[in-house]
Amino acid sequence: MRFLRDAFITLIVLVAVVWIVAYTRIRAGGMSADAEPGAVERTVAARLVRLSIPAEAQQQQNPFRADPAAWRAAADHYEDHCAICHGSDGHGRTGMGENMYPKVPDLADAGVQRLSDGALFSIIQNGVRWTGMPAWKREHSAEEAWKLVSFIRKVPSLTSHDLESLGPHEDHEHRDHRPVRR
């Protein structure tokens, strides 16, 4: 009985300390997005990405993985919807991407490339809360998302010649043109 009482008191003290530290940090620096987040916030954001991927998605394979040109089919969509944050080359060096917290990931980064095809598909389709990554499944088909996975797989070897060979971008067709509710 004494152990339970001591454990309960320890837990209450720990929660109080965490709350006090969090409160003072927020009061001192606020929750402004113009400052680099600390280690705890980065860890929480990384965990949110992992939690946003359903377990069954990890096993899914890209149906276009054997098509070396599939990434080209996604180029217009990528340029229209993704490049503003991730950059045309996928490295995230844009005004938008560099000012987001957590930072927009470099799609060539080993951590991104280690994600399964299904995990990338899930992130594209469902987004990731509290990170700035929107969900695209209401607006774009599964086929388009899988081709974007092919584009992401191409990013580490993407050359300036590859980017130039894409030529001028045509308007990208949206599957559903519902008005945005405000």
Side-chain angles (χ1 to χ4, degrees), residues 82-104:
C82 312
I84 190 167
C85 294
H86 293 284
S88 292
D89 63 359
H91 294 289
R93 293 182 297 259
T94 67
M96 183 79 76
E98 290 178 346
N99 287 303
M100 292 182 79
Y101 296 105
K103 295 277 190 204
V104 170

Side-chain angles (χ1 to χ4, degrees), residues 176-182:
D176 187 0
H177 292 285
R178 286 180 285 180
V180 176
R181 290 187 215 174
R182 294 180 195 239

